[in-house]
Amino acid sequence: MSNNLEFRHLNYFQVVAEELHFSNAAKKLFITQPALSRQIKQLEKILNTTLLKRDKRNVELTKAGMYLLEEAEFLSNHIDYLKKNIQHIQSGGAGELRIGFVGSAMNSVIPGLIASIQEKIPGIHTELTELPNQVQIDRVRNDTLDIGFIRSMRLPNGLEKKHVFKETFSLVLPNSHELNQQNFRSVKQLQEESFILFSSQYSHGYFEKIMSIFEDQGFSPKVAHQSVHANTIFRLVEQNLGIGIVPTSLTYGFALNFKCIDLKDIHQRTKLTAIWKKGHKSRLLKSFIELI
């Protein structure tokens, strides 16, 4: 029996940790349950620790098991990324950079940055994925994204950030609404209206900033709908079901039946923030951060 840690050990452990059931895990792995149990016991012997608490009814991760699961997921993701990068380089490319972003980033900073990095590093492949804030944070942490562009929120340890774009908020109203940029005086004019807002799931910090706009105006909004998707908010506004407040850049490029009022006279601003893992070793990411 080898005393060396191998990727098969980590693969078996990941499936057991996800299923928390040896029989189900064995079926997924196409091996027998006794064989799987032997592999896990061998892994525990190699690491000289207990990874799973198990009895006749339950299987639970120990603290060491929870730590190993997180690291195993990171290693598995990194191996997949390594394979893809090798294929890009083998084909004459410069490698791949995986970028996450919230929708408004595509209307403000992303296109210019992509053009700049492609000019700086010909042959680079950029994979762009629109994702909610928290999903980007999780994916940067587990190494399935190299960099994310989020609306500012508290970050966990191990990530670095840089604010890249600061902008105003804008009201989004149906075209038939009586208010416009000329006769608009304050948000308080809308205190009897229903609002359609980004959900707190989009970003708790962002949601709180929106709420502070109403607090400053001395009223609590009637929130008719919440969504994590800008297009949903715009479609509901278009159907005269409420009024939205969104980052101003998010209103660019939509051919929908609504109008906007820039809230340039309030002090609240929203920031777009780039995030990446501290201590990364990617030369492509280093070049991209230098452009930012």
Side-chain angles (χ1 to χ4, degrees), residues 74-87:
F74 170 80
L75 288 171
S76 176
N77 293 332
H78 194 71
I79 289 295
D80 290 341
Y81 179 50
L82 179 66
K83 290 177 182 176
K84 287 180 69 177
N85 255 332
I86 288 173
Q87 291 168 1

Side-chain angles (χ1 to χ4, degrees), residues 18 31 37 50 85 93 146 188 203 241 245 250 254 261 280:
E18 289 163 1
I31 63 174
S37 294
T50 301
N85 255 332
D146 297 304
K188 194 165 186 178
S203 166
L241 294 173
I245 296 182
L250 194 54
F254 281 90
I261 297 177
H280 73 88

